[in-house]
Amino acid sequence: MATLEAPTHENTMTPEKNKKGRRGGRDDGRLRTPAWLYAVMVAGLFLVVIPFIWMVVSSVKPNAELRQVPPTLLPEGITFSHYEALFTDLDFPQFFLNSAIVSLGTMVGNMIFCSMLGYALAKLQFPGRRIMFALVVGTLMVPGVVTFVPLFVLTTNLGLTNTLPAMILPFMAGPFGVFLMRQFILSIPDELIQAARVDGAGELRIFARVVLPLCGPALATLGVLTFLSSWNNFLWPLVVATSEDKYTLPVALALYAVGQNATDYGLLIAGAVVVVLPVLAVFLVLQRHIMQGVASTGIK
């Protein structure tokens, strides 16, 4: 007596269909990136990088070639006289030291005070907390130039004019830093803070021993952005500094390279290359932490 076999549910897909499915890129749970998206990203990268490459190449061109019309892409003659003038004619070590002190002081101040304010707005309960946070967010929409006159009057009354602290103290706690740290600290579980409070830790100890070690990505992001802003700041140091020994690099380059009758473009471009290098080095070292900080803050 013949027996009937039950149909098996094996894979009946033909090899052609299996091959087609593999080409579709969906069997591993990922989607293939369209080719046009790669083209757009490469074009955007080219637009971002080409000005920096042109600046580096132009820094070794003679002044006559820099003024040539149409401009040349590659230098016809290479000279390092602009860099020699930068380090010999200008008091470059003093200007560089001033910029480093101002930038590092501003960066450290923002990392400390913005973290403290962000922790208070994120995890502490006190009257007016929401109103204070709304004021911080509202301050982000106020142009910085609007506060220049009040800040200058305040620093003059305190006797800080023509000093490095006058370039650091007004920017030691920015609204963007407070907003960034507050949004990041919100993602820290409340159970960690409650456990520390049960163990008898005070708020300052909780902040220093529990919250701050978990804020590495956000602190790296805030530090690099603050350092970049302070290093490139030109208008406020120009207003506050009245003597050459207090000039920062952007102010010194603008005053010495741009004259009344002519502009030394070679010196200006060589100085721009030197000014960019420290910021670029800091970003390359901390780029992984910056991406983590921006991504985690945005998700929250």
Side-chain angles (χ1 to χ4, degrees):
M1 185 175 177
T3 59
L4 298 175
E5 295 182 358
T8 59
H9 295 282
E10 296 179 354
N11 185 14
T12 59
M13 186 178 293
T14 61
E16 290 79 11
K17 291 183 178 181
N18 279 330
K19 188 176 181 181
K20 183 179 180 181
R22 286 194 297 269
R23 281 202 304 262
R26 296 202 176 226
D27 32 354
D28 59 351
R30 294 177 295 178
L31 296 176
R32 295 180 61 184
T33 304
W36 64 267
L37 186 57
Y38 281 110
V40 171
M41 290 189 293
V42 170
L45 178 63
F46 179 79
L47 292 176
V48 171
V49 173
I50 194 62
F52 180 76
I53 297 177
W54 182 88
M55 180 178 65
V56 174
V57 172
S58 298
S59 66
V60 295
K61 292 181 181 179
N63 282 326
E65 189 176 351
L66 286 174
R67 297 185 178 92
Q68 183 176 335
V69 179
T72 58
L73 181 60
L74 297 178
E76 298 176 355
I78 297 178
T79 178
F80 294 96
S81 60
H82 306 311
Y83 291 97
E84 294 177 0
L86 183 67
F87 289 96
T88 56
D89 297 346
L90 275 69
D91 192 2
F92 185 83
Q94 182 64 48
F95 301 146
F96 187 91
L97 180 62
N98 292 341
S99 292
I101 293 174
V102 172
S103 301
L104 292 175
T106 305
M107 181 185 69
V108 173
N110 273 268
M111 293 173 66
I112 295 175
F113 295 113
C114 290
S115 301
M116 298 176 69
L117 292 171
Y119 170 69
L121 293 174
K123 297 299 182 181
L124 300 183
Q125 300 294 332
F126 57 90
R129 186 183 66 164
R130 295 183 180 273
I131 298 177
M132 187 175 296
F133 179 67
L135 292 175
V136 172
V137 175
T139 308
L140 290 171
M141 296 180 288
V142 178
V145 183
V146 175
T147 61
F148 265 38
V149 173
L151 282 178
F152 182 76
V153 173
L154 182 61
T155 53
T156 302
N157 293 334
L158 293 176
L160 297 177
T161 307
N162 197 32
T163 61
L164 296 182
M167 308 178 195
I168 301 174
L169 293 177
F171 307 101
M172 291 189 70
F176 174 77
V178 176
F179 175 79
L180 178 69
M181 297 307 301
R182 187 255 185 187
Q183 295 301 108
F184 187 88
I185 294 175
L186 281 174
S187 62
I188 298 177
D190 294 335
E191 290 76 12
L192 294 176
I193 299 175
Q194 293 297 336
R197 289 172 180 167
V198 170
D199 290 341
E203 296 299 335
L204 187 60
R205 187 175 183 183
I206 293 173
F207 169 75
R209 302 293 296 274
V210 178
V211 176
L212 206 58
L214 298 176
C215 296
L219 287 174
T221 305
L222 177 61
V224 171
L225 294 178
T226 305
F227 183 88
L228 175 63
S229 176
S230 180
W231 183 269
N232 295 329
N233 193 8
F234 169 75
L235 191 56
W236 179 249
L238 177 65
V239 172
V240 174
T242 58
S243 60
E244 295 184 4
D245 60 331
K246 296 299 186 295
Y247 286 167
T248 58
L249 272 177
V251 176
L253 288 174
L255 294 181
Y256 286 101
V258 181
Q260 295 181 354
N261 301 321
T263 300
D264 191 345
Y265 291 105
L267 180 63
L268 193 61
I269 295 175
V273 173
V274 175
V275 169
V276 167
L277 290 179
V279 178
L280 186 62
V282 171
F283 178 79
L284 292 177
V285 171
L286 300 176
Q287 62 176 338
R288 181 172 61 88
H289 300 286
I290 296 173
M291 300 305 175
Q292 292 178 357
V294 173
S296 56
T297 304
I299 292 174
K300 182 62 183 177

